[in-house]
Amino acid sequence: MNRVLELVEARLVSELGEPDARAAVTFLGTERIEVLRFTADSAEGPVLRYATLGMSGAPMTDPTAALADPDRGPRAELLLSVRPLSRSGARSATSEDVPDTDKLLRPLAVLAASPQVEGVVVAPGASLDVGEPLWPGAPFTSVLVAESGGLVTDLELEEPHDPVRFLPLLPMTPNEAAWKRVHGAQALEERWLAEGTDLRDPARRSVPLTG
């Protein structure tokens, strides 16, 4: 497991740069989960990228399986990108204005530990709910798991291990999460795309879901 996590961290650093912060959380009966924060520049300003490290140490196992295979099975880490805002609500490029989005470190660790704790297999199209705002004052309590391969490329491992996939998490408002349960992940993503929704905006409102 340690070797896999070394390779995962190396892939994150090679594609996102050196992390500027990290925190570790250990839950009873689970391996340690770390969350790394990376700061990137974009045309619209800085972006904070949070990545879990530890979830991929073991393959996820279908809870209905009679025996857990220690080698085979899907492996993943989670990614969440958000724009920093100043206290006034304006986008900010200064480190002292990094908002309370750093408080999402623990919710991310909880989601990353769910395969060990609850036997959940995290896959694209799934909804993950933390039961509370992702960070203080956030309009989101759940996320949509998106397809891997965009921000960080999949990490191939030696046989018989499955590759590690880096799955982006897209924050959803409660209305969006309820609509997604009825209409599906693809329909919600199409709504976001049609409206030009900035999914990295930590203060965005729900996309229009009627009409």
Side-chain angles (χ1 to χ4, degrees), residues 42-69:
S42 72
E44 296 81 14
V47 177
L48 302 177
R49 305 197 191 282
Y50 298 90
T52 64
L53 178 63
M55 181 178 172
S56 61
M60 293 180 281
T61 304
D62 187 331
T64 63
L67 293 174
D69 190 319

PDB file of all heavy atoms in Angstrom, residues 42-69:
ATOM      1  N   SER A  42      -5.159  30.481 -12.963  1.00  0.00           N
ATOM      2  CA  SER A  42      -5.955  30.302 -14.171  1.00  0.00           C
ATOM      3  C   SER A  42      -6.263  31.668 -14.740  1.00  0.00           C
ATOM      4  O   SER A  42      -5.970  32.701 -14.129  1.00  0.00           O
ATOM      5  CB  SER A  42      -7.257  29.552 -13.861  1.00  0.00           C
ATOM      6  OG  SER A  42      -8.153  30.388 -13.140  1.00  0.00           O
ATOM      7  N   ALA A  43      -6.872  31.687 -15.920  1.00  0.00           N
ATOM      8  CA  ALA A  43      -7.209  32.958 -16.556  1.00  0.00           C
ATOM      9  C   ALA A  43      -8.183  33.775 -15.702  1.00  0.00           C
ATOM     10  O   ALA A  43      -8.191  35.003 -15.755  1.00  0.00           O
ATOM     11  CB  ALA A  43      -7.811  32.701 -17.934  1.00  0.00           C
ATOM     12  N   GLU A  44      -8.999  33.088 -14.895  1.00  0.00           N
ATOM     13  CA  GLU A  44      -9.991  33.765 -14.063  1.00  0.00           C
ATOM     14  C   GLU A  44      -9.471  34.058 -12.664  1.00  0.00           C
ATOM     15  O   GLU A  44     -10.196  34.588 -11.826  1.00  0.00           O
ATOM     16  CB  GLU A  44     -11.272  32.926 -13.962  1.00  0.00           C
ATOM     17  CG  GLU A  44     -12.004  32.713 -15.272  1.00  0.00           C
ATOM     18  CD  GLU A  44     -11.380  31.596 -16.109  1.00  0.00           C
ATOM     19  OE1 GLU A  44     -10.565  30.830 -15.537  1.00  0.00           O
ATOM     20  OE2 GLU A  44     -11.677  31.522 -17.301  1.00  0.00           O
ATOM     21  N   GLY A  45      -8.224  33.672 -12.370  1.00  0.00           N
ATOM     22  CA  GLY A  45      -7.683  33.899 -11.031  1.00  0.00           C
ATOM     23  C   GLY A  45      -7.233  32.600 -10.396  1.00  0.00           C
ATOM     24  O   GLY A  45      -7.238  31.541 -11.039  1.00  0.00           O
ATOM     25  N   PRO A  46      -6.839  32.643  -9.125  1.00  0.00           N
ATOM     26  CA  PRO A  46      -6.331  31.444  -8.461  1.00  0.00           C
ATOM     27  C   PRO A  46      -7.420  30.402  -8.233  1.00  0.00           C
ATOM     28  O   PRO A  46      -8.599  30.722  -8.111  1.00  0.00           O
ATOM     29  CB  PRO A  46      -5.788  31.981  -7.131  1.00  0.00           C
ATOM     30  CG  PRO A  46      -6.576  33.233  -6.895  1.00  0.00           C
ATOM     31  CD  PRO A  46      -6.838  33.817  -8.243  1.00  0.00           C
ATOM     32  N   VAL A  47      -6.996  29.152  -8.184  1.00  0.00           N
ATOM     33  CA  VAL A  47      -7.887  28.032  -7.911  1.00  0.00           C
ATOM     34  C   VAL A  47      -7.225  27.150  -6.864  1.00  0.00           C
ATOM     35  O   VAL A  47      -6.031  26.852  -6.956  1.00  0.00           O
ATOM     36  CB  VAL A  47      -8.171  27.200  -9.184  1.00  0.00           C
ATOM     37  CG1 VAL A  47      -9.036  25.989  -8.842  1.00  0.00           C
ATOM     38  CG2 VAL A  47      -8.853  28.051 -10.243  1.00  0.00           C
ATOM     39  N   LEU A  48      -7.990  26.766  -5.859  1.00  0.00           N
ATOM     40  CA  LEU A  48      -7.515  25.823  -4.857  1.00  0.00           C
ATOM     41  C   LEU A  48      -7.968  24.433  -5.261  1.00  0.00           C
ATOM     42  O   LEU A  48      -9.147  24.214  -5.555  1.00  0.00           O
ATOM     43  CB  LEU A  48      -8.082  26.168  -3.475  1.00  0.00           C
ATOM     44  CG  LEU A  48      -7.758  27.573  -2.940  1.00  0.00           C
ATOM     45  CD1 LEU A  48      -8.439  27.779  -1.606  1.00  0.00           C
ATOM     46  CD2 LEU A  48      -6.262  27.777  -2.829  1.00  0.00           C
ATOM     47  N   ARG A  49      -7.034  23.498  -5.262  1.00  0.00           N
ATOM     48  CA  ARG A  49      -7.363  22.115  -5.608  1.00  0.00           C
ATOM     49  C   ARG A  49      -7.045  21.245  -4.401  1.00  0.00           C
ATOM     50  O   ARG A  49      -5.916  21.248  -3.904  1.00  0.00           O
ATOM     51  CB  ARG A  49      -6.564  21.658  -6.818  1.00  0.00           C
ATOM     52  CG  ARG A  49      -6.720  22.572  -8.035  1.00  0.00           C
ATOM     53  CD  ARG A  49      -6.265  21.868  -9.295  1.00  0.00           C
ATOM     54  NE  ARG A  49      -6.141  22.760 -10.429  1.00  0.00           N
ATOM     55  CZ  ARG A  49      -7.151  23.211 -11.167  1.00  0.00           C
ATOM     56  NH1 ARG A  49      -8.383  22.856 -10.860  1.00  0.00           N
ATOM     57  NH2 ARG A  49      -6.941  24.014 -12.199  1.00  0.00           N
ATOM     58  N   TYR A  50      -8.041  20.505  -3.941  1.00  0.00           N
ATOM     59  CA  TYR A  50      -7.877  19.611  -2.805  1.00  0.00           C
ATOM     60  C   TYR A  50      -7.869  18.176  -3.322  1.00  0.00           C
ATOM     61  O   TYR A  50      -8.747  17.793  -4.104  1.00  0.00           O
ATOM     62  CB  TYR A  50      -9.012  19.797  -1.793  1.00  0.00           C
ATOM     63  CG  TYR A  50      -9.067  21.188  -1.194  1.00  0.00           C
ATOM     64  CD1 TYR A  50      -9.816  22.202  -1.795  1.00  0.00           C
ATOM     65  CD2 TYR A  50      -8.360  21.492  -0.038  1.00  0.00           C
ATOM     66  CE1 TYR A  50      -9.872  23.472  -1.254  1.00  0.00           C
ATOM     67  CE2 TYR A  50      -8.413  22.767   0.520  1.00  0.00           C
ATOM     68  CZ  TYR A  50      -9.168  23.750  -0.092  1.00  0.00           C
ATOM     69  OH  TYR A  50      -9.224  25.019   0.450  1.00  0.00           O
ATOM     70  N   ALA A  51      -6.898  17.389  -2.882  1.00  0.00           N
ATOM     71  CA  ALA A  51      -6.776  16.000  -3.342  1.00  0.00           C
ATOM     72  C   ALA A  51      -6.589  15.081  -2.144  1.00  0.00           C
ATOM     73  O   ALA A  51      -5.794  15.377  -1.246  1.00  0.00           O
ATOM     74  CB  ALA A  51      -5.583  15.860  -4.290  1.00  0.00           C
ATOM     75  N   THR A  52      -7.313  13.980  -2.125  1.00  0.00           N
ATOM     76  CA  THR A  52      -7.125  13.004  -1.059  1.00  0.00           C
ATOM     77  C   THR A  52      -5.931  12.110  -1.381  1.00  0.00           C
ATOM     78  O   THR A  52      -5.560  11.931  -2.538  1.00  0.00           O
ATOM     79  CB  THR A  52      -8.376  12.130  -0.866  1.00  0.00           C
ATOM     80  OG1 THR A  52      -8.611  11.355  -2.062  1.00  0.00           O
ATOM     81  CG2 THR A  52      -9.604  12.989  -0.569  1.00  0.00           C
ATOM     82  N   LEU A  53      -5.349  11.552  -0.330  1.00  0.00           N
ATOM     83  CA  LEU A  53      -4.231  10.627  -0.472  1.00  0.00           C
ATOM     84  C   LEU A  53      -4.382   9.553   0.592  1.00  0.00           C
ATOM     85  O   LEU A  53      -4.301   9.847   1.780  1.00  0.00           O
ATOM     86  CB  LEU A  53      -2.897  11.362  -0.299  1.00  0.00           C
ATOM     87  CG  LEU A  53      -1.630  10.508  -0.376  1.00  0.00           C
ATOM     88  CD1 LEU A  53      -1.481   9.859  -1.748  1.00  0.00           C
ATOM     89  CD2 LEU A  53      -0.395  11.350  -0.052  1.00  0.00           C
ATOM     90  N   GLY A  54      -4.660   8.340   0.166  1.00  0.00           N
ATOM     91  CA  GLY A  54      -4.861   7.241   1.103  1.00  0.00           C
ATOM     92  C   GLY A  54      -5.998   6.318   0.693  1.00  0.00           C
ATOM     93  O   GLY A  54      -5.981   5.124   0.990  1.00  0.00           O
ATOM     94  N   MET A  55      -6.973   6.862  -0.003  1.00  0.00           N
ATOM     95  CA  MET A  55      -8.119   6.074  -0.450  1.00  0.00           C
ATOM     96  C   MET A  55      -7.702   4.952  -1.392  1.00  0.00           C
ATOM     97  O   MET A  55      -8.281   3.861  -1.391  1.00  0.00           O
ATOM     98  CB  MET A  55      -9.116   7.011  -1.135  1.00  0.00           C
ATOM     99  CG  MET A  55     -10.381   6.375  -1.655  1.00  0.00           C
ATOM    100  SD  MET A  55     -11.430   7.677  -2.372  1.00  0.00           S
ATOM    101  CE  MET A  55     -12.726   6.677  -3.124  1.00  0.00           C
ATOM    102  N   SER A  56      -6.675   5.199  -2.201  1.00  0.00           N
ATOM    103  CA  SER A  56      -6.250   4.227  -3.215  1.00  0.00           C
ATOM    104  C   SER A  56      -5.300   3.169  -2.669  1.00  0.00           C
ATOM    105  O   SER A  56      -4.847   2.309  -3.414  1.00  0.00           O
ATOM    106  CB  SER A  56      -5.567   4.951  -4.377  1.00  0.00           C
ATOM    107  OG  SER A  56      -4.409   5.643  -3.921  1.00  0.00           O
ATOM    108  N   GLY A  57      -5.009   3.221  -1.374  1.00  0.00           N
ATOM    109  CA  GLY A  57      -4.098   2.237  -0.807  1.00  0.00           C
ATOM    110  C   GLY A  57      -4.618   0.818  -0.890  1.00  0.00           C
ATOM    111  O   GLY A  57      -3.848  -0.147  -0.872  1.00  0.00           O
ATOM    112  N   ALA A  58      -5.931   0.664  -0.984  1.00  0.00           N
ATOM    113  CA  ALA A  58      -6.554  -0.653  -1.134  1.00  0.00           C
ATOM    114  C   ALA A  58      -7.674  -0.539  -2.160  1.00  0.00           C
ATOM    115  O   ALA A  58      -8.275   0.530  -2.308  1.00  0.00           O
ATOM    116  CB  ALA A  58      -7.112  -1.147   0.197  1.00  0.00           C
ATOM    117  N   PRO A  59      -7.956  -1.601  -2.898  1.00  0.00           N
ATOM    118  CA  PRO A  59      -9.045  -1.543  -3.872  1.00  0.00           C
ATOM    119  C   PRO A  59     -10.404  -1.461  -3.189  1.00  0.00           C
ATOM    120  O   PRO A  59     -10.589  -1.978  -2.077  1.00  0.00           O
ATOM    121  CB  PRO A  59      -8.892  -2.853  -4.656  1.00  0.00           C
ATOM    122  CG  PRO A  59      -8.178  -3.774  -3.729  1.00  0.00           C
ATOM    123  CD  PRO A  59      -7.281  -2.918  -2.896  1.00  0.00           C
ATOM    124  N   MET A  60     -11.333  -0.800  -3.835  1.00  0.00           N
ATOM    125  CA  MET A  60     -12.706  -0.762  -3.333  1.00  0.00           C
ATOM    126  C   MET A  60     -13.380  -2.088  -3.661  1.00  0.00           C
ATOM    127  O   MET A  60     -13.173  -2.649  -4.739  1.00  0.00           O
ATOM    128  CB  MET A  60     -13.458   0.409  -3.961  1.00  0.00           C
ATOM    129  CG  MET A  60     -12.929   1.760  -3.535  1.00  0.00           C
ATOM    130  SD  MET A  60     -13.802   3.168  -4.269  1.00  0.00           S
ATOM    131  CE  MET A  60     -13.074   3.201  -5.918  1.00  0.00           C
ATOM    132  N   THR A  61     -14.177  -2.572  -2.727  1.00  0.00           N
ATOM    133  CA  THR A  61     -14.782  -3.887  -2.863  1.00  0.00           C
ATOM    134  C   THR A  61     -16.293  -3.785  -2.840  1.00  0.00           C
ATOM    135  O   THR A  61     -16.863  -3.091  -1.987  1.00  0.00           O
ATOM    136  CB  THR A  61     -14.322  -4.819  -1.725  1.00  0.00           C
ATOM    137  OG1 THR A  61     -12.896  -4.883  -1.728  1.00  0.00           O
ATOM    138  CG2 THR A  61     -14.893  -6.214  -1.891  1.00  0.00           C
ATOM    139  N   ASP A  62     -16.940  -4.472  -3.758  1.00  0.00           N
ATOM    140  CA  ASP A  62     -18.394  -4.550  -3.773  1.00  0.00           C
ATOM    141  C   ASP A  62     -18.860  -5.168  -2.456  1.00  0.00           C
ATOM    142  O   ASP A  62     -18.423  -6.260  -2.088  1.00  0.00           O
ATOM    143  CB  ASP A  62     -18.848  -5.430  -4.946  1.00  0.00           C
ATOM    144  CG  ASP A  62     -20.357  -5.425  -5.132  1.00  0.00           C
ATOM    145  OD1 ASP A  62     -21.096  -5.247  -4.139  1.00  0.00           O
ATOM    146  OD2 ASP A  62     -20.810  -5.616  -6.272  1.00  0.00           O
ATOM    147  N   PRO A  63     -19.737  -4.463  -1.709  1.00  0.00           N
ATOM    148  CA  PRO A  63     -20.167  -4.993  -0.414  1.00  0.00           C
ATOM    149  C   PRO A  63     -20.906  -6.320  -0.505  1.00  0.00           C
ATOM    150  O   PRO A  63     -21.037  -7.030   0.493  1.00  0.00           O
ATOM    151  CB  PRO A  63     -21.072  -3.888   0.134  1.00  0.00           C
ATOM    152  CG  PRO A  63     -21.486  -3.088  -1.058  1.00  0.00           C
ATOM    153  CD  PRO A  63     -20.336  -3.158  -2.009  1.00  0.00           C
ATOM    154  N   THR A  64     -21.385  -6.689  -1.714  1.00  0.00           N
ATOM    155  CA  THR A  64     -22.086  -7.971  -1.860  1.00  0.00           C
ATOM    156  C   THR A  64     -21.133  -9.128  -2.155  1.00  0.00           C
ATOM    157  O   THR A  64     -21.544 -10.286  -2.182  1.00  0.00           O
ATOM    158  CB  THR A  64     -23.122  -7.887  -2.998  1.00  0.00           C
ATOM    159  OG1 THR A  64     -22.454  -7.649  -4.240  1.00  0.00           O
ATOM    160  CG2 THR A  64     -24.105  -6.762  -2.731  1.00  0.00           C
ATOM    161  N   ALA A  65     -19.843  -8.807  -2.372  1.00  0.00           N
ATOM    162  CA  ALA A  65     -18.876  -9.861  -2.684  1.00  0.00           C
ATOM    163  C   ALA A  65     -18.607 -10.732  -1.463  1.00  0.00           C
ATOM    164  O   ALA A  65     -18.516 -10.232  -0.335  1.00  0.00           O
ATOM    165  CB  ALA A  65     -17.573  -9.245  -3.186  1.00  0.00           C
ATOM    166  N   ALA A  66     -18.463 -12.034  -1.697  1.00  0.00           N
ATOM    167  CA  ALA A  66     -18.222 -12.958  -0.588  1.00  0.00           C
ATOM    168  C   ALA A  66     -16.853 -12.743   0.025  1.00  0.00           C
ATOM    169  O   ALA A  66     -16.684 -12.811   1.244  1.00  0.00           O
ATOM    170  CB  ALA A  66     -18.370 -14.396  -1.078  1.00  0.00           C
ATOM    171  N   LEU A  67     -15.849 -12.490  -0.821  1.00  0.00           N
ATOM    172  CA  LEU A  67     -14.484 -12.278  -0.351  1.00  0.00           C
ATOM    173  C   LEU A  67     -13.915 -11.023  -0.998  1.00  0.00           C
ATOM    174  O   LEU A  67     -14.175 -10.733  -2.167  1.00  0.00           O
ATOM    175  CB  LEU A  67     -13.596 -13.481  -0.683  1.00  0.00           C
ATOM    176  CG  LEU A  67     -13.902 -14.801   0.035  1.00  0.00           C
ATOM    177  CD1 LEU A  67     -13.023 -15.912  -0.532  1.00  0.00           C
ATOM    178  CD2 LEU A  67     -13.680 -14.662   1.539  1.00  0.00           C
ATOM    179  N   ALA A  68     -13.128 -10.285  -0.225  1.00  0.00           N
ATOM    180  CA  ALA A  68     -12.478  -9.087  -0.748  1.00  0.00           C
ATOM    181  C   ALA A  68     -11.131  -9.471  -1.343  1.00  0.00           C
ATOM    182  O   ALA A  68     -10.310 -10.100  -0.680  1.00  0.00           O
ATOM    183  CB  ALA A  68     -12.292  -8.060   0.359  1.00  0.00           C
ATOM    184  N   ASP A  69     -10.912  -9.103  -2.597  1.00  0.00           N
ATOM    185  CA  ASP A  69      -9.627  -9.357  -3.256  1.00  0.00           C
ATOM    186  C   ASP A  69      -8.658  -8.256  -2.836  1.00  0.00           C
ATOM    187  O   ASP A  69      -8.937  -7.077  -3.046  1.00  0.00           O
ATOM    188  CB  ASP A  69      -9.811  -9.339  -4.774  1.00  0.00           C
ATOM    189  CG  ASP A  69      -8.580  -9.840  -5.521  1.00  0.00           C
ATOM    190  OD1 ASP A  69      -7.459  -9.481  -5.105  1.00  0.00           O
ATOM    191  OD2 ASP A  69      -8.731 -10.561  -6.519  1.00  0.00           O
TER     192      ASP A  69
END
